Each structure stands twice: as structure tokens, then as C-alpha cells.
Amino acid sequence: MCGISGIFNVENAETLVAETLFAIQHRGQESCGVAVRDCRGNISYHKGMGLVKNVLTPENLFNHQGNIAIGHVRYPTAGRSDKVNSQPHVAELPEGPHIAVCSNGDIINYYELRTWLENEHNFTFRSDNDGELIGRLVAYYLVHEKMTIENAITETQSQLKGAFSTLLIYRDQMFAFRDPHGYRPFVLGHLDYEEGGELMSDGVVFASESCSFGIVGATFIRELEPGEIIRLEKGKPLKTVSVSAQNRQHCVFELIYFSRPDGFTFNELVYDVRKKIGARLFEYDKENLGVDKDTVVMAVPDSSNFVALGYAQASPANFDMGLLRNHYVGRTFTKPDQKQRDEGVRHKFNPLPDFFTGKKVVLVDDSIVRGTTLRKIVRMVRSAEAKEIHVRIGSPKVIGSCYYGIDTPTRKELIASKKSVDEICSFIEADSLKYMEVEDFDTILKSSGNFCFACFNLKYQHCPDDYHQKTNVPCERC
Ligand code: SF4
């Protein structure tokens, strides 16, 4: 998972993009960057490892000012953890100006397309990153096939398999395009801004999540359609070039875990979805668990907060916060390796003194991946003298990897791919364990048929053979 944003036709667009990226920092903390087109028509960029507040500072952006800008926050899915894989990427064209690209997702046929460009057309790649591939494909169709920029993007979009929400700058134009299934979120807004004391209404803003809009005073307009290509050109109205939608496959994990609760993702208010998940989890327990006013419902903070709140509000129990989270540690799931995740858990959570003694606790989490993190948390609560610990999970069992932009481990590492619910309950040392079922989302989402549940039910849209070829992991599903 990563996050992108772009601003068109607003002075100091680079600064505004940095602010929008700050709002979606939760989508990736490894590296970030901004590319900007200045008033002379040059494209320049600044990117680096680390957080937006440290990399995209006013000093670092001082020499990269313009009115068209795109930006990216990265957490690694494919490609090593290295500055060279940070985005945006700039693809050079023989006569300039260049193309700047940033993308959120995962291209399943990455290696096939990259090898074709390298072997058949002498392209040289600097990174292992999808954004670079997309930029070089567009450059190929533009320069070698002499296509118009619109046709080059349309052709590129048709060649890519997998998930991509992409922004591209070419000359004084910006393009926004999305994969035909709409895996990753992508929203469009409008920016009213002041210039010389006057209210202007010229700017267009794109972002992964609508929570980026408030920070720059933008208004949400709509989500991009799956397969849509949008073109912005100075002095012309926004134009939808084409829409090549296939069956929608929005990532349901965005609603369960990744997206910020204060935004609309896939036309759902994330906060509402999480509370409904919590209420549904209570339905399972209503007749069975003896939940009463002395039961404490608490979240593994923060992504489960509203699921736990929804559970508590539907039940006679009280919602409380017995685990305190250190916010400077970041998300453990998005740390690239197990050692960093383990250290993250130890530094991240701490139980309130005397809070748990003798209590029956319903502990709510969003998902179980390997089980090791949750076991540490259950042990922490148990050693704080809780009487009973009943774990409730706001997603179904994660039994398969994701090939569409989320860095889930291989199936071998996923505890639910090899253990039953009872076995997982024993492993995490809880008194009971219950997951959401895939079918339960029918009553929660406006249209559950528009969502991808592949890591929960193994119903993938694309055979991931190409992905396995890329990572040298043998295909366990096909
Ligand atoms: S496989 Fe899972 S994480 Fe990946 S897009 Fe589908 S629902 Fe989301």
C-alpha cells in the first residue's frame, strides 16, 4: 500500500501536495517525494527515505516550485527498501520535457513488461518499482510508436495487469488513471484558494483518500471510475478520455484497516463501516458470551478503535481504552521485516496500571496475519491480570496473499492458512476467538459484490503466476 496525491493549476502546488501527503502518511512511512512542473516547463523532483515532515520540508522544496505537482508516500510491496524505489519517477524523453509518474498498487505482469522494454527496446531501469515501469511504457508508446499522449496512456493502461491508481505529468498536462477493477482508492476534488485577496476556483486535486482534502481546503467531488483516464490541461475543462471498467474489485481491507476513518473510500464512510463491523461481531456473542455491563470492550489501538466502539454501543458492555499506544512507533503491519515488527509491538503498546485486574475483556483487532503480534498483546493483557480475554476480529481469516498492492506474507506464513480457529485461539492464548465471515459484509457494505475478498476466499481476478515469477515464490494456489 502507498498513497498518492496531485494538484493541478495552483501556485505552489508542491507545498500543497506535501500537505496532502501528510494527511495520508498512514499509507506509507518508508519514503516520500514530490515532482513538480515549474513555470519554465521543467520537471524537477525531491524525494527521500523517511516521513513527509522530514523529507518534504519548505527548504527541500524551495528549488522545486510550480503549479502542477504530484507526490507519493511509499511502503514497500514489490521492490527493495531503498531510495531508488521511492516515487515519483521521472522518465526522460529525447527532446524533453520529461514525464513524471507516481502510482499506488502492484503490477502483476511487471517482469514481463519490463523484460520486453529492456530486451526488445533497450530501455534501462533504475529501480524495481511499478511507477518507473508505467512511466517508461508511456514514454515507449509516445516516442517509439509516435502516439499522442492520450493514446500512449490508454495503451499503457491496457497492457498493465493488477492494481494501479496513477498520476502523470506531461508538458502542462496532468493525467489520472486507474486500473479497470478499481482495487485502490482514488478520489477527485476541487480546490478554492485565495490569490491577492481574491477567492480563485481553478485547482483540481487528486488523492488516495478524501481525508487529504480538508488539510488544503479542497472539496470532495467524486471517486474516479474504475478504468477511467482523466486529462487536465491548462485553460481547458477536465476531460474523461475513456473509461474501461471491468467488474469492480475494491479492496475491502482498505475499509477494515488501511483507510483513515474520517474519509470516504469507495463511497463508504470508513468510520460507519467499522462501527457496523463491531455491531455485527456483537451479534455473534449476544446469546453466547454473557456480555454484560461489567465486561470491558477494548481495541488494539488505533485501527480497531471504531470496530470496538461499534461492538460496545450495540452491547450492554462498556468501551474503554486499557492499552495505550505510543504514536511515534508507526504501524507494525507496514514495517518491512519481522524484527522491526516485534520491536514495534514492544515499544508501541502499554497496559494501563490496575485497569485489567479481574476483568472480562473483549479485545478487538482488525485482522490476524501471523498471529505473533496478537499473542504478545494477549500475553500483555493477561499479565495485567485480566480474568478472561475474548478476541474478536473485524475481518475474515486471512488465508491468501495479496497481489494488488498490500504486502501480506506468503500463504505459508499466514497462520489462518494452516490452522483452524480453535488452533489459532490456542496459539494466541485467548479464551475465545471469533472472526467476521465474508458473507457478513453483505449487510454492512452498500454493495459487497463490488469488493475484492481474495485474501479471505482465494477468489483472485488474475492468476498470480507472474507475481510468483517476480518474487521466486512458487505459486501455492494455482
Ligand atoms: S487480496 Fe485482500 S488485501 Fe488484496 S486487494 Fe483483495 S481484499 Fe485487498
Side-chain angles (χ1 to χ4, degrees):
M1 187 186 64
C2 301
I4 58 169
S5 73
I7 290 193
F8 185 80
N9 206 20
V10 180
E11 219 172 286
N12 295 120
E14 74 294 338
T15 304
L16 294 171
V17 164
E19 289 182 26
T20 55
L21 292 176
F22 183 66
I24 52 169
Q25 183 79 80
H26 58 282
R27 299 186 69 85
Q29 295 122 38
E30 188 197 64
S31 64
C32 58
V34 164
V36 61
R37 183 181 187 271
D38 65 25
C39 56
R40 295 180 301 281
N42 299 319
I43 290 179
S44 66
Y45 63 89
H46 180 77
K47 53 188 183 177
M49 302 299 282
L51 300 175
V52 171
K53 67 177 182 185
N54 299 324
V55 176
L56 303 178
T57 61
E59 299 75 33
N60 288 339
L61 294 178
F62 186 75
N63 291 322
H64 307 283
Q65 294 178 359
N67 62 2
I68 304 176
I70 58 175
H72 187 270
V73 288
R74 178 176 195 245
Y75 107 108
T77 47
R80 61 192 184 279
S81 190
D82 191 309
K83 184 181 170 186
V84 79
N85 281 322
S86 59
Q87 296 193 42
H89 286 282
V90 174
E92 298 84 1
L93 301 176
E95 292 150 27
H98 306 321
I99 293 171
V101 182
C102 58
S103 188
N104 169 209
D106 218 350
I107 306 300
I108 289 174
N109 56 341
Y110 172 90
Y111 267 85
E112 182 190 315
L113 293 168
R114 175 176 172 156
T115 305
W116 175 67
L117 285 175
E118 286 175 328
N119 294 352
E120 307 284 324
H121 302 289
N122 294 323
F123 275 71
T124 305
F125 279 72
R126 288 196 211 101
S127 73
D128 311 315
N129 194 269
D130 295 345
E132 183 178 7
L133 173 72
I134 295 171
R136 296 207 182 279
L137 269 178
V138 173
Y140 167 77
Y141 290 117
L142 201 56
V143 176
H144 293 248
E145 300 289 340
K146 305 204 181 318
M147 291 183 179
T148 63
I149 183 68
E150 286 188 5
N151 288 344
I153 290 173
T154 305
E155 188 59 32
T156 297
Q157 184 196 42
S158 74
Q159 294 297 324
L160 299 170
K161 275 192 221 162
F164 52 93
S165 289
T166 306
L167 286 165
L168 182 148
I169 302 174
Y170 173 70
R171 299 183 188 270
D172 62 348
Q173 299 162 46
M174 182 187 281
F175 289 84
F177 53 102
R178 196 177 185 200
D179 66 79
H181 297 290
Y183 283 105
R184 296 286 139 229
F186 205 5
V187 288
L188 163 66
H190 186 257
L191 191 65
D192 291 330
Y193 66 102
E194 282 191 24
E195 197 177 282
E198 296 223 68
L199 188 67
M200 314 295 284
S201 56
D202 229 358
V204 174
V205 52
F206 295 98
S208 294
E209 294 182 36
S210 64
C211 62
S212 281
F213 292 170
I215 201 166
V216 293
T219 311
F220 174 83
I221 297 177
R222 66 175 173 88
E223 192 177 337
L224 269 74
E225 291 297 318
E228 183 171 10
I229 301 175
I230 287 178
R231 171 187 180 152
L232 299 174
E233 188 172 4
K234 212 168 172 182
K236 295 189 177 170
L238 181 149
K239 174 184 169 190
T240 291
V241 175
S242 60
V243 181
S244 55
Q246 295 172 19
N247 58 325
R248 287 172 187 258
Q249 290 289 298
H250 303 318
C251 171
V252 75
F253 230 155
E254 290 275 355
L255 299 176
I256 295 167
Y257 177 76
F258 283 115
S259 293
R260 257 176 53 163
D262 53 339
F264 284 90
T265 291
F266 309 132
N267 295 317
E268 302 268 4
L269 180 59
V270 178
Y271 169 86
D272 278 349
V273 170
R274 292 196 186 155
K275 280 187 64 180
K276 285 181 195 167
I277 290 172
R280 182 73 192 101
L281 284 170
F282 172 66
E283 285 297 311
Y284 302 137
D285 292 339
K286 207 171 181 177
E287 308 296 331
N288 308 318
L289 196 63
V291 174
D292 60 22
K293 64 180 178 40
D294 295 323
T295 306
V296 173
V297 181
M298 50 169 265
V300 175
D302 287 324
S303 50
S304 319
N305 287 354
F306 299 109
V307 178
L309 185 63
Y311 185 111
Q313 287 181 344
S315 77
N318 290 310
F319 174 75
D320 214 329
M321 300 291 285
L323 281 177
L324 275 294
R325 181 186 156 184
N326 183 332
H327 285 91
Y328 299 95
V329 178
R331 290 181 152 192
T332 52
F333 180 47
T334 57
K335 298 285 182 196
D337 65 49
Q338 185 63 43
K339 186 166 176 288
Q340 286 181 40
R341 279 190 293 276
D342 287 348
E343 284 169 2
V345 173
R346 277 197 300 277
H347 294 125
K348 191 168 175 180
F349 300 112
N350 207 32
L352 267 182
D354 303 329
F355 176 88
F356 290 103
T357 310
K359 285 187 176 146
K360 174 175 179 170
V361 176
V362 174
L363 180 65
V364 180
D365 205 353
D366 49 71
S367 56
I368 304 180
V369 180
R370 298 171 184 81
T372 47
T373 301
L374 191 53
R375 181 168 64 176
K376 284 193 177 76
I377 293 167
V378 170
R379 281 178 180 170
M380 192 181 277
V381 173
R382 186 86 67 195
S383 59
E385 299 184 9
K387 187 176 69 177
E388 294 173 36
I389 304 170
H390 302 278
V391 173
R392 298 296 177 262
I393 303 297
S395 67
K397 290 170 73 181
V398 181
I399 56 173
S401 297
C402 175
Y403 306 106
Y404 314 120
I406 304 291
D407 185 28
T408 40
T410 60
R411 283 182 68 190
K412 267 187 250 149
E413 296 171 83
L414 294 168
I415 190 167
S417 73
K418 53 197 177 199
K419 288 187 191 293
S420 67
V421 174
D422 286 347
E423 287 168 334
I424 298 168
C425 184
S426 299
F427 179 82
I428 62 172
E429 300 172 6
D431 294 296
S432 73
L433 171 66
K434 184 81 185 94
Y435 287 87
M436 285 286 285
E437 302 291 339
V438 170
E439 301 72 42
D440 291 327
F441 286 88
D442 289 345
T443 57
I444 288 170
L445 302 173
K446 286 175 193 150
S447 172
S448 60
N450 288 344
F451 283 81
C452 172
F453 288 91
C455 54
F456 307 119
N457 62 12
L458 303 183
K459 292 182 181 166
Y460 295 95
Q461 280 297 307
H462 306 280
C463 170
D465 274 343
D466 294 332
Y467 185 88
H468 289 135
Q469 179 191 343
K470 173 177 164 181
T471 56
N472 287 326
V473 177
C475 183
E476 297 176 64
R477 186 184 64 82
C478 306

